[in-house]
Amino acid sequence: MKINQKSYAQALAGMLLLIGTAFTSAAIAQLKTDDPLMKINRETPVRINDLIHTRLDVRFDYKKRYLYGKEWVTIKPHFYPTDTLRLDAKGMDIQTVALVKNGKNIPLKYTYDQLSLAINLDKEYQHTENYTVFIAYTAKPDEPKHGKYKPAPDAKGLYFINPDSTVKDKPVQIWTDGEPENSSAWFPTIDKPGQKTTDEISMTVPAKYVTLSNGRLASQKNNTDGTRTDTWKMELPHSPYLFMMAVGDFKIYHDKWRDKEVNYYLEPLYAPYAREIFGDTPQMMDFFSKTLGVDYPWNKYSQIVVRDYISGAMENTTATLHGTYIQGTSRELADRYYDAGRSTIAHELFHQWFGDYVTAKNWGNITVGESFANFGEVLWAEHKYGQDVADDHNNADLELYLENPEYADKDLVRFHYRKTEDVFDPVSYQKGGRIVNMLRHYLGGPAFYKGLNIYLKTNAFKTAEAQQLRLAMEEASGKDLNWFFDQWYYGAGHPLLDISYKWEEKSHTQTIYLKQTQPGKAFILPMFVDIYAGGKKERHQIRMNNQSDTLSYQLAEKPQLVNVDAEKSILSQKKDHKSIAEFLFQYQNAPLYMDRYEAINAALALQKDATAQKILILALQDKYYGLRLKALKSIDPANSNLNEQALPIILKLAKSDENNLVKAAAIQVIGASKIAPQQSELFKAELKNQSYAIMGASLSALADIDHAEGVKMAKTYEKGSTDRLVSAIIGVYGKYGQDTEWPYVYKNFLESNSRSKILVMKDFTGMLERLKNPEYTQQGVTVIKDFGIRLKEYGFGAKAIEDLNRIKEARRQMNDEASVQFITRAIEEINAAK
C-alpha cells in the first residue's frame, strides 16, 4: 500500500462508525486554508543528479541499536554539468566521504546538518559521466536527535524489535520501512520517488537468523565470529523508498509462480499456516499478469510478517512487509473471509506493477500507486470471491471516504499539503480506488485494461503521473478524457445527487428529475438508467452535464422501478426518492449487491412499515452473507412486530448458517432477545465450535443470561485464547467482572491490536467505572490516554476524552478523588498533545 498509518487510522475511524461508537468527522482536525504550509507548491524536485547503482554493506549492533554502514553509490548528472552532490541522510554519524577512483578512496569535502549531506566533488561532471562516492556512516534510529531532524515514531526508517531480548516470548527482529522518505535514515541516498537505482545489499547478522531484501539472494558466507553475510542483488531499477531489509528468526515456506520463487516468511508459531495465509499469491500473480498483459516483472516475490510494524503493510519491491494482523491459525483464518488481511495481500501485490514497476513521479501523484492498489483489491475480489464481495468491498471504501466531509476539499492529484504523509489518506486510497473503478465502467473493461497495458509498457521501470495515465487511456479508447481527469483527478469533491420521479398516467410519461445539490460546479456524470415495466428491463445510456437534468420516457404502463446509475459505479452521495414498494421491487429484481444494499438501508429507516419489514426479513435470508450480517446488526430490538417475524429466522441462522460471522451475529441477537434463556443449550453447544467468533458470541450470550456463571466460564477459556475469543472474554469481564478479572483484561487489552481495542473499548471503559481498586482504574485510564494521543489527529483523542469524562463522573460518585484527579490530568495531556 503502503497501508499508511494515516489510512489505517482512518479505517479504524470508519470502524467506529460501523460499530456505533460516537465519532464524528468534526472530531478530526481539519486543515486551515490560512496554514502557511498549505501555500507551498510541492512541485517535483529538480533532478540534478541521478542514482545509478547503490551498494551497501551493513552490520548491526543489537545492544546499541546501531547500524554500521558502508555505501558505494554510483551517480551521474541528470543533464546539466555539476560539481556537487546532495544526499538525504537523516540522523546519522558520518565518518568518511570519498570519491572512488582507480581503486582508491579520495577524500571529499562535505557539510552535514543531520538531514542532508552536501558533497563537493573533485571536478565538474557531465551527464555522460558516472562517478562513485564511498560513505562510511552509523545510523542510530533510537537515539535522541539534535538539529533539524525530529522523526516521528513511525518515521525512523530502521527498527530494532526486542534487540536485548528483555520481552519474554517476543522475537528479536530488525526491519526497515522507507515510505515516504525514510530510507535515508538508514543509508544516504537521493530519497525521492522520482529516482530509480539498482542495488546490492550485504547484511552481516548472527548466523541463526534469516534475512530478506529486494531481488535475489546472490550469496551467503559464514564468518568465523558466528555471523553470516548475506548478499542480495536487485538488478532492475527501483526507487529508494522501496528498499528493504528484514532480519530475524523466520521460517520460510517456498512456493512458486511459473519459474519464479514465491516465498512466505513467518514466525515459527505461524509457519504451519503459511499456505493458508498467503497461498493465493501465485494465483493472484497469474490473474494480474493476464489481466494487465504484463507478466509479474520481478525475479521473485516474498512476503514477510514482522512484529510492531508501524503501519499495515509496505510494497517493497519483490519483498512486501506485513504487520502481524495478517497472520493467523486455521481456526482464526476461518472467521476472516475477504478481510483486511486477504485484501491487503492483493493490494500489495498489485503495487508491484502500480508503484514499483511504474512509480509516482512525486508524492502529489501518489494516486498512480495507491488508488490502483486499492482498485486491485476489488479486482481480485471479483475474480476469487464473486461480484457481491467485490461490490461490498467497493462500497465500504466509498462510505469511508464519504463519512469524512473534510476530504471533499482535497484534489486527488495535489501539490499543496502540510507534510508528505498527508497525501496517504482516504482521498488517495478509498476515493481514488473508486475513481479508477468508475473509469473502468465508463470505458468498458477491454478498453480500460488495454489502457493499463499501454501505461505500464510505456513507463516500465520509470516514473509517471496522472497525465500519462490519461494519455494511455485515450490511446486505448480513442476518447478524450480531459473532462474526466479535470473533475476527478485535478478537482475536489463529489456530486450530491438528488433523484426524484413522476409518473403521468394520462400521457404514460415517466419523468426523472436529477439534481446535483453540492455547492460549486456540476459534475459530468455518464451513467445507465434501467426501467422495469411489463416484465421487461430496458437500459438507457445518459450523460448528466448540468446541475439539473430532466429525463422523460414514453412507456406502455407505469414502471415498477426506475433504477438510476444502474451499474452503481458513480462516486456520489445519493438521495433517491423511491417509495418503499419500489425499493422492495429493486431488492427482489435488480441484479447487484448495491441494489439490495440500498433497499435494506431504505427499509431500516422505516422499520415499522410492513413493506420495509418484508425487505428486512428477505435480507436476513440474502444469498450474500454480508447483507445477512447487515440486517442482523441493524434491526431495532425494540420493534416487537418485526422481531416476532425475524426471531425464528435469526434462530435458524444461529443454528445452521454456513457463515461463521453470520452465525455468531445471530447468536448475539438471540442472546439479547426474550428467548435467550430457552436457548442456553444452544449457546453451550456452540462453545465447542471451532470458530472463535461463534465461541465468543456464545460465551457472551451465556454471560448475559447468568452473569456469575458467564464470568466463571470465561475463566476456563483464558489460556490459549486468541483474537475474537479474547475480545469476547474481555467483553464478559468488562460487563460483569470485578477486580479479580482486571489483570487479564489489562494485559490482553494492552497486547491487542487497534481494531480489537475499538471493538471492546465500551466494555473496557465500563469496567473502569466500577473497579474498587483506584490503581487499576488509573492503569486503564493511562491506556485510554495513550491510545487517544497516538491517534488524536484522526478523532480518537476526542473519543478518549468523552470516555474519560464518563469514567471520571463514575469515580467521583464512588468518592475516588485520586482517580478523579488522575483522569483530569490525562484529559489535559490529550488536549495538549500535538
Side-chain angles (χ1 to χ4, degrees):
M1 206 159 257
K2 170 181 188 179
I3 298 183
N4 178 275
Q5 180 70 19
K6 179 159 194 169
S7 184
Y8 182 62
Q10 290 297 345
L12 294 175
M15 178 185 274
L16 283 173
L17 287 162
L18 291 173
I19 63 175
T21 308
F23 184 86
T24 65
S25 60
I28 298 177
Q30 298 189 20
L31 298 176
K32 297 181 179 180
T33 56
D34 60 352
D35 187 334
L37 292 175
M38 291 296 290
K39 296 178 181 178
I40 300 172
N41 181 26
R42 311 283 183 174
E43 60 187 13
T44 304
V46 175
R47 288 175 62 176
I48 298 171
N49 287 286
D50 288 340
L51 298 172
I52 302 297
H53 182 69
T54 303
R55 178 184 159 206
L56 300 173
D57 187 343
V58 304
R59 57 190 178 89
F60 306 97
D61 186 323
Y62 283 78
K63 184 176 181 180
K64 293 181 178 179
R65 305 187 183 205
Y66 286 1
L67 176 152
Y68 300 110
K70 296 178 181 178
E71 176 177 24
W72 295 262
V73 57
T74 301
I75 293 175
K76 73 176 185 66
H78 180 73
F79 183 79
Y80 299 107
T82 184
D83 59 1
T84 61
L85 169 65
R86 185 176 292 274
L87 297 175
D88 300 296
K90 297 170 182 172
M92 300 177 178
D93 288 347
I94 304 295
Q95 287 93 33
T96 305
V97 177
L99 185 76
V100 180
K101 186 170 280 190
N102 299 322
K104 296 181 179 180
N105 289 343
I106 302 170
L108 296 173
K109 293 181 179 180
Y110 66 92
T111 58
Y112 181 52
D113 65 359
Q114 291 293 301
L115 277 176
S116 179
L117 182 60
I119 303 169
N120 296 318
L121 301 173
D122 64 325
K123 67 166 192 170
E124 185 175 82
Y125 285 83
Q126 306 296 315
H127 68 85
T128 54
E129 296 179 279
N130 292 356
Y131 59 91
T132 298
V133 173
F134 169 76
I135 304 168
Y137 64 97
T138 304
K140 303 177 177 181
D142 293 301
E143 286 199 353
K145 305 303 177 185
H146 306 287
K148 296 179 181 179
Y149 180 51
K150 303 291 184 184
D154 60 352
K156 294 191 301 183
L158 174 65
Y159 296 81
F160 288 82
I161 307 303
N162 198 27
D164 46 12
S165 301
T166 54
V167 181
K168 185 182 178 182
D169 298 326
K170 185 173 187 177
V172 175
Q173 296 176 353
I174 297 171
W175 47 264
T176 63
D177 183 75
E179 192 176 40
E181 295 177 5
N182 301 323
S183 286
S184 50
W186 62 276
F187 68 97
T189 188
I190 305 174
D191 206 353
K192 302 298 177 187
Q195 290 284 338
K196 295 227 170 182
T197 173
T198 55
D199 75 70
E200 177 180 327
I201 301 178
S202 295
M203 287 178 268
T204 298
V205 302
K208 62 183 177 180
Y209 290 142
V210 168
T211 70
L212 176 64
S213 188
N214 314 96
R216 65 184 176 90
L217 181 58
S219 67
Q220 291 186 299
K221 177 187 174 185
N222 289 315
N223 305 312
T224 57
D225 60 355
T227 65
R228 190 187 69 251
T229 301
D230 291 355
T231 298
W232 294 83
K233 290 187 177 182
M234 184 68 190
E235 289 149 333
L236 294 170
H238 63 144
S239 294
Y241 79 89
L242 297 167
F243 280 39
M244 74 84 69
M245 298 186 300
V247 183
D249 180 16
F250 299 100
K251 297 296 182 184
I252 309 172
Y253 182 95
H254 298 286
D255 209 339
K256 66 182 295 186
W257 174 72
R258 298 184 188 174
D259 61 344
K260 296 186 177 182
E261 300 179 27
V262 177
N263 301 315
Y264 318 130
Y265 292 66
L266 290 151
E267 292 176 33
L269 176 65
Y270 288 97
Y273 314 104
R275 192 162 183 83
E276 292 175 72
I277 298 166
F278 291 119
D280 283 345
T281 301
Q283 186 183 351
M284 285 185 192
M285 295 170 75
D286 202 61
F287 170 65
F288 289 151
S289 294
K290 290 176 179 176
T291 300
L292 297 171
V294 175
D295 282 349
Y296 176 78
W298 313 102
N299 64 345
K300 74 128 191 310
Y301 189 55
S302 293
Q303 295 175 89
I304 188 167
V305 182
V306 300
R307 288 290 185 99
D308 298 347
Y309 187 46
I310 42 81
S311 188
M314 180 60 206
E315 69 275 9
N316 310 298
T317 316
T318 76
T320 285
L321 189 147
H322 293 278
T324 53
Y325 75 94
I326 203 164
Q327 65 193 6
T329 64
S330 298
R331 290 183 69 183
E332 292 168 328
L333 294 169
D335 289 337
R336 294 190 186 175
Y337 303 95
Y338 194 53
D339 67 340
R342 288 188 169 99
S343 63
T344 296
I345 293 171
H347 181 114
E348 304 306 334
L349 177 58
F350 211 61
H351 260 310
Q352 298 295 316
W353 286 268
F354 293 91
D356 297 6
Y357 186 58
V358 181
T359 305
K361 185 177 180 180
N362 49 56
W363 298 120
N365 272 279
I366 196 62
T367 176
V368 301
E370 296 304 346
S371 300
F372 274 96
N374 185 283
F375 169 74
E377 300 172 37
V378 173
L379 195 59
W380 175 247
E382 286 178 6
H383 176 76
K384 179 70 174 180
Y385 301 100
Q387 194 66 51
D388 279 353
V389 176
D391 290 349
D392 186 358
H393 197 78
N394 201 63
N395 183 60
D397 276 356
L398 174 62
E399 290 189 342
L400 178 59
Y401 160 71
L402 292 175
E403 283 158 359
N404 294 285
E406 65 273 18
Y407 290 113
D409 296 331
K410 294 185 176 184
D411 298 342
L412 183 56
V413 176
R414 68 193 96 151
F415 294 96
H416 294 87
Y417 45 83
R418 297 182 67 252
K419 57 185 186 296
T420 304
E421 288 78 6
D422 290 349
V423 302
F424 295 89
D425 64 8
V427 177
S428 296
Y429 288 76
Q430 285 79 14
K431 182 184 181 183
R434 310 295 67 73
I435 289 170
V436 173
N437 189 55
M438 193 162 43
L439 184 59
R440 175 175 61 151
H441 278 265
Y442 174 66
L443 295 178
F448 172 79
Y449 293 120
K450 178 62 177 176
L452 294 188
N453 179 269
I454 293 169
Y455 169 81
L456 290 170
K457 289 181 175 178
T458 301
N459 302 292
F461 303 110
K462 300 177 185 176
T463 63
E465 56 184 79
Q467 289 291 5
Q468 270 103 346
L469 177 64
R470 176 183 64 83
L471 292 171
M473 290 297 176
E474 288 183 342
E475 182 180 341
S477 67
K479 295 183 177 183
D480 188 309
L481 293 172
N482 277 291
W483 67 270
F484 185 95
F485 279 76
D486 284 348
Q487 78 178 20
W488 292 115
Y489 280 82
Y490 301 103
H494 54 272
L496 304 180
L497 193 57
D498 188 279
I499 309 167
S500 56
Y501 312 88
K502 180 183 178 183
W503 169 253
E504 180 56 57
E505 181 64 37
K506 187 174 181 181
S507 62
H508 276 221
T509 301
Q510 176 66 57
T511 304
I512 307 167
Y513 302 99
L514 303 176
K515 292 182 181 179
Q516 295 185 40
T517 62
Q518 74 278 0
K521 67 180 182 183
F523 284 77
I524 298 171
L525 303 177
M527 53 186 158
F528 293 100
V529 175
D530 285 353
I531 299 179
Y532 294 76
K536 297 179 181 180
K537 179 181 77 174
E538 287 188 2
R539 171 158 288 190
H540 302 269
Q541 189 169 8
I542 68 163
R543 183 181 177 104
M544 185 180 185
N545 295 312
N546 306 306
Q547 208 82 36
S548 298
D549 275 351
T550 301
L551 309 174
S552 295
Y553 299 97
Q554 295 291 128
L555 303 173
E557 59 184 78
K558 182 179 179 180
Q560 292 105 325
L561 176 68
V562 177
N563 200 4
V564 176
D565 183 25
E567 291 190 344
K568 309 301 179 190
S569 63
I570 297 297
L571 196 165
S572 68
Q573 208 157 5
K574 254 194 311 194
K575 285 186 179 179
D576 197 335
H577 299 281
K578 294 188 180 87
S579 68
I580 195 65
E582 289 168 324
F583 273 118
L584 173 59
F585 185 92
Q586 178 172 310
Y587 181 92
Q588 293 176 309
N589 294 277
L592 299 178
Y593 162 90
M594 285 303 300
D595 293 311
R596 283 136 49 217
Y597 183 89
E598 289 176 355
I600 293 168
N601 275 345
L604 288 172
L606 299 168
Q607 291 196 33
K608 293 184 178 180
D609 180 272
T611 304
Q613 291 175 7
K614 187 172 183 180
I615 293 172
L616 296 174
I617 295 299
L618 289 170
L620 288 170
Q621 304 164 80
D622 196 277
K623 64 178 182 176
Y624 175 52
Y625 78 87
L627 291 178
R628 299 200 298 279
L629 269 176
K630 179 177 176 63
L632 278 167
K633 293 179 177 181
S634 304
I635 291 176
D636 183 1
N639 190 330
S640 56
N641 184 45
L642 176 57
N643 279 283
E644 286 296 326
Q645 303 174 64
L647 273 178
I649 298 169
I650 296 173
L651 184 58
K652 184 178 178 182
L653 297 177
K655 290 179 177 179
S656 59
D657 198 278
E658 63 184 7
N659 184 278
N660 291 345
L661 302 184
V662 171
K663 188 168 186 174
I667 287 171
Q668 286 181 314
V669 173
I670 295 296
S673 74
K674 64 182 182 181
I675 65 171
Q678 295 96 309
Q679 300 303 323
S680 61
E681 291 306 313
L682 168 66
F683 303 148
K684 290 176 182 177
E686 293 300 344
L687 280 173
K688 300 174 184 177
N689 199 294
Q690 285 296 297
S691 162
Y692 285 123
I694 294 170
M695 287 180 68
S698 301
L699 180 62
S700 297
L702 285 166
D704 288 341
I705 296 171
D706 186 333
H707 306 338
E709 183 63 23
V711 170
K712 182 179 178 182
M713 196 172 296
K715 288 185 179 297
T716 68
Y717 291 103
E718 286 184 1
K719 190 174 181 180
S721 294
T722 63
D723 198 20
R724 292 178 185 271
L725 193 53
V726 168
S727 296
I729 294 170
I730 291 176
V732 169
Y733 291 165
K735 286 188 284 188
Y736 309 120
Q738 303 300 327
D739 287 43
T740 51
E741 285 72 52
W742 172 252
Y744 177 90
V745 172
Y746 179 60
K747 176 180 180 294
N748 284 277
F749 191 86
L750 277 179
E751 293 175 356
S752 65
N753 59 41
S754 296
R755 296 165 188 262
S756 298
K757 282 185 173 71
I758 289 172
L759 289 171
V760 300
M761 186 66 78
K762 181 180 179 181
D763 295 324
F764 181 79
T765 56
M767 191 174 193
L768 298 178
E769 294 178 28
R770 65 175 190 278
L771 289 170
K772 294 179 180 178
N773 187 338
E775 182 181 340
Y776 287 169
T777 296
Q778 291 164 31
Q779 284 179 337
V781 166
T782 300
V783 172
I784 297 169
K785 177 197 71 176
D786 292 344
F787 192 67
I789 290 174
R790 183 165 67 88
L791 297 177
K792 181 179 179 180
E793 65 177 302
Y794 313 114
F796 291 92
K799 181 64 180 67
I801 290 172
E802 178 186 319
D803 289 337
L804 291 175
N805 276 320
R806 190 178 64 253
I807 298 166
K808 181 179 176 180
E809 182 57 32
R811 303 309 296 190
R812 179 177 283 117
Q813 293 181 22
M814 294 174 66
N815 296 317
D816 178 10
E817 191 57 34
S819 292
V820 169
Q821 294 302 318
F822 190 87
I823 295 168
T824 299
R825 290 192 296 271
I827 292 171
E828 290 171 352
E829 287 185 51
I830 296 173
N831 282 323
K834 297 181 179 179

